[in-house]
Amino acid sequence: MELLNRPRRLRTTPEIRSMVRETRMSPSSLIQPLFAIEGENIKHEIPSLPGQYHWSPDRICEAVQECVDAGVDKVILFGLPAEKDEVGSGAWAENGIVQQAVRVIKKNFPNVTVITDVCMCEYTSHGHCGILCDHYVDNDKTLEVLAKTALSHAQAGADMVAPSDMMDGRVGAIRKILDDNGYINVPIMAYSAKYASAFYGPFRDAAGSAPSFGDRRSYQMDPHNVREAIYECELDVREGADLLMVKPALSYLDVIVKARQRFDLPIAAYSVSGEYAMIKAAAAAGLIDEYRIMCESALSIYRAGADILITYYAKELAEAMRKGDIG
């Protein structure tokens, strides 16, 4: 048969397939989430997130060393304080759990990029992401404490801050307080399109951050909306965000595509706890090939347009990229 066009020619060998790949990934684009917890000599596996751990500050460098050994040099920190209160004051405490973890990591791994999640839900007794007025989260009062929290993280040595609260105006408030205090070079990675998703369940268990009443739909985004996500991204750009984020990732690939088409800033995506836990559970039941599903899921996120991937599989994906299975 005389066929002029034979696309299979470029699929004949692994070397040719690798050469013509349209989507390319690198371990340098991966970020590993880490959970820091008050106490000493703690390394406890998180039941809802197999293979992930709570780390006390005196042991968290073990987790960082594992990342570095795997080729991952970027982490994002979440904190579990010993005590909580109505206003989440532990979030901006000079010796708060995240601040402790930042200091010890930067002391021992100065070349590791330490990003801090800036939110209130882990620190408030009610589990909501801000200051309450009756049962409603007061947006503008919350901006004050978010700004203080981001500043305290920068003072502890954080390389980047990542506000995840979804309050209106928080990027601008954080940018101002950082700049006013001389931290003009600390970037903000904004959780710009963060949806009120059912995929966060395992994380809320891991971080002890489930709300004690109601839900977060009055501040996190409605999963039905795409245009609103682009508007949220646009607002964050205007307020000084340096990177934009879509969260969750797999169920919101269309949002990543739209953000990539619209904005020139780096786009991050967070492959959240529910996505990870589902793969783990299906693999444990013998229903899927965990390694291949892990690779294919990550690939879909990059293919949609993400430049950066926050994932609990960061170490495993870095190895897969080095082996050439993806990348």
Side-chain angles (χ1 to χ4, degrees):
M1 183 177 293
E2 294 184 7
L3 289 178
L4 184 61
N5 297 307
R6 292 182 180 269
R8 288 182 57 187
R9 293 187 190 112
L10 298 183
R11 304 174 196 151
T12 54
T13 68
E15 292 76 18
I16 291 177
R17 291 194 296 271
S18 176
M19 180 178 68
V20 300
R21 279 178 177 166
E22 299 174 17
T23 303
R24 297 185 181 273
M25 297 161 282
S26 165
S28 64
S29 67
L30 295 168
I31 301 173
Q32 172 72 45
L34 295 178
F35 295 92
I37 190 170
E38 296 271 13
E40 296 181 354
N41 194 31
I42 297 172
K43 179 189 176 182
H44 290 161
E45 188 170 24
I46 301 168
S48 59
L49 292 172
Q52 307 301 311
Y53 297 85
H54 290 132
W55 300 90
S56 54
D58 60 328
R59 294 195 63 179
I60 198 166
C61 284
E62 296 175 34
V64 179
Q65 186 65 62
E66 291 175 5
C67 292
V68 171
D69 291 344
V72 177
D73 62 358
K74 299 168 187 70
V75 299
I76 183 167
L77 293 179
F78 300 90
L80 285 78
E83 298 181 358
K84 304 184 181 190
D85 58 33
E86 282 288 306
V87 297
S89 58
W92 64 86
E94 182 179 356
N95 201 38
I97 180 58
V98 165
Q99 292 81 350
Q100 293 179 53
V102 170
R103 291 189 186 100
V104 70
I105 293 172
K106 293 305 295 184
K107 178 181 178 180
N108 290 279
F109 297 91
N111 295 324
V112 167
T113 299
V114 177
I115 306 161
T116 57
D117 178 78
V118 178
C119 197
M120 307 304 297
C121 59
E122 297 103 318
Y123 303 90
T124 56
S125 54
H126 45 76
H128 278 283
C129 300
I131 305 301
L132 290 184
C133 180
D134 293 324
H135 278 189
Y136 186 77
V137 175
D138 188 306
N139 190 92
D140 295 4
K141 288 182 180 179
T142 300
L143 296 185
E144 299 175 19
V145 298
L146 291 170
K148 287 195 298 183
T149 299
L151 177 60
S152 73
H153 291 177
Q155 290 170 333
D159 298 294
M160 183 183 298
V161 294
S164 62
D165 53 282
M166 288 302 288
M167 297 299 119
D168 295 337
R170 87 271 201 214
V171 171
I174 291 171
R175 185 73 273 158
K176 184 177 189 308
I177 199 170
L178 291 177
D179 290 357
D180 288 350
N181 285 272
Y183 294 98
I184 61 173
N185 290 323
V186 173
I188 297 174
M189 178 167 64
Y191 287 66
S192 300
K194 181 179 179 180
Y195 286 86
S197 171
F199 283 93
Y200 303 148
F203 175 91
R204 290 177 181 174
D205 174 61
S209 62
S212 60
F213 65 89
D215 54 42
R216 295 178 177 145
R217 296 182 188 183
S218 71
Y219 42 100
Q220 294 179 358
M221 283 187 54
D222 186 337
H224 296 76
N225 296 352
V226 178
R227 294 192 300 272
E228 183 186 14
I230 301 306
Y231 178 54
E232 287 280 8
C233 289
E234 179 64 42
L235 291 175
D236 286 351
V237 171
R238 293 178 192 174
E239 292 176 22
D242 300 283
L243 307 92
L244 307 175
M245 189 199 301
V246 176
K247 178 184 180 184
L250 280 180
S251 290
Y252 298 86
L253 296 176
D254 58 321
V255 181
I256 299 173
V257 171
K258 294 287 187 182
R260 176 72 290 151
Q261 292 171 342
R262 179 72 175 270
F263 302 104
D264 292 327
L265 290 182
I267 303 293
Y270 197 147
S271 185
V272 298
S273 60
E275 299 169 30
Y276 174 84
M278 287 195 302
I279 295 174
K280 282 289 186 181
L287 301 176
I288 62 169
D289 181 327
E290 180 180 2
Y291 182 81
R292 291 187 62 191
I293 292 291
M294 172 193 75
C295 292
E296 190 172 339
S297 298
L299 176 57
S300 72
I301 297 165
Y302 284 100
R303 193 177 63 242
D307 304 292
I308 299 158
L309 179 59
I310 304 171
T311 171
Y312 300 95
Y313 276 121
K315 293 177 290 185
E316 294 85 351
L317 285 169
E319 177 63 21
M321 290 175 186
R322 280 196 302 274
K323 290 168 59 178
D325 292 336
I326 56 172

